[in-house]
Amino acid sequence: MLPQPLRGASVALLILTLSACGSTGSTPTPTPTDPARNVSDTLSPQGVASPVTLTLGQPQQLTVTVGGRAPAPGQLVWTTSNAAVASVTQAGLVTPVSGGNATVRAALSRNAAAFIDFPLTVSGAAPTPTPAPAPAPATDFAQQILDLVNAARAQGRTCGATAYAAAPALTLNAQLGQAAQGHAADMAAQNYFSHDSKDGRTAGQRIAAAGYAYRTWGENIAAGQATAAQVMDGWLKSEGHCKNIMNPAFRELGVGYATSTSGPYWVQDFGAR
């Protein structure tokens, strides 16, 4: 009986039942303590297994049993008829190399006439996964936003009904940037727009989780604006956002930027320690 492959995506299990077959009568039963001699050296040639189709980039494990057991180390010798198409290890792992046909053979090391062949067909390249959109260079946007914020703070400004004098320039802070970028990416990935995360965290909790031991903090968010200049213009025309930008208590800034099919997301996290 020819062995049949186990239908599965990654492992082809072929059971090689090697029966003793000799011209001088029955073969003595091997002792259980000598697995290398589970099969007589006088076995006749074996057959051909069901064809195996492989795809480039997707190795496949071929497994045989000898006398109903896993082969002992060195009991089988694995070879390939065409190494340019497929290679095989001595553990039976087949790696497609190029398109074409080859035969992988598992033979008894003590009797090369006892074997089973695996006809292989290697087809085309594996489907190339669609790459995720390259993230925008958030660090570039962070510097652009910082420059625009400091330009706004360099002169007096009225936010709604509140007049602000010129305020000290801010500096970028990596921890605030981590909190801001994380929130921008989360909004983009989950398609929502809120100061509170989907998991219920507030901006202050995200900032603290990033390791920023704040004395005070503030956050601006926006969505849809294509450039740093556009989003800053919108923030400065909004009373609450403008107040955050002009707040003299803030000393540091973190900026987040992320894109999705619904558009760009922007986050400013302000803080002072």
Side-chain angles (χ1 to χ4, degrees), residues 70-168:
Q75 191 175 9
L76 293 179
V77 176
W78 291 85
T79 57
T80 177
S81 66
N82 192 343
V85 171
S87 64
V88 63
T89 69
Q90 290 309 302
L93 179 65
V94 177
T95 300
V97 177
S98 65
N101 298 306
T103 298
V104 168
R105 173 171 293 185
L108 286 176
S109 59
R110 301 184 61 157
N111 181 9
F115 63 83
I116 189 162
D117 285 342
F118 299 89
L120 303 180
T121 298
V122 177
S123 60
T128 303
T130 303
T139 53
D140 293 346
F141 283 121
Q143 188 61 52
Q144 293 176 36
I145 293 291
L146 177 67
D147 292 343
L148 291 168
V149 166
N150 285 337
R153 289 169 67 92
Q155 53 187 316
R157 186 176 301 272
T158 299
C159 301
T162 305
Y164 286 87

Side-chain angles (χ1 to χ4, degrees), residues 86-268:
S87 64
V88 63
T89 69
Q90 290 309 302
L93 179 65
V94 177
T95 300
V97 177
S98 65
N101 298 306
T103 298
V104 168
R105 173 171 293 185
L108 286 176
S109 59
R110 301 184 61 157
N111 181 9
F115 63 83
I116 189 162
D117 285 342
F118 299 89
L120 303 180
T121 298
V122 177
S123 60
T128 303
T130 303
T139 53
D140 293 346
F141 283 121
Q143 188 61 52
Q144 293 176 36
I145 293 291
L146 177 67
D147 292 343
L148 291 168
V149 166
N150 285 337
R153 289 169 67 92
Q155 53 187 316
R157 186 176 301 272
T158 299
C159 301
T162 305
Y164 286 87
L170 303 181
T171 59
L172 290 176
N173 175 270
Q175 293 165 323
L176 289 174
Q178 177 183 338
Q181 183 59 37
H183 190 46
D186 188 55
M187 288 192 294
Q190 301 199 61
N191 193 27
Y192 73 98
F193 183 74
S194 173
H195 285 288
D196 291 341
S197 303
K198 284 276 192 177
D199 60 9
R201 290 183 303 159
T202 65
Q205 290 172 326
R206 292 191 298 269
I207 290 170
Y212 189 85
Y214 62 81
R215 176 170 48 84
T216 184
W217 63 267
E219 181 176 81
N220 288 342
I221 62 175
Q225 297 82 0
T227 67
Q230 289 176 0
V231 73
M232 275 296 297
D233 182 65
W235 278 331
L236 287 171
K237 289 178 179 177
S238 168
E239 181 179 357
H241 299 95
C242 178
K243 287 181 176 180
N244 273 342
I245 292 170
M246 295 302 297
N247 190 334
F250 294 142
R251 293 290 183 267
E252 297 171 300
L253 175 67
V255 177
Y257 173 85
T259 60
S260 72
T261 55
S262 57
Y265 288 81
W266 303 82
V267 178
Q268 287 178 318

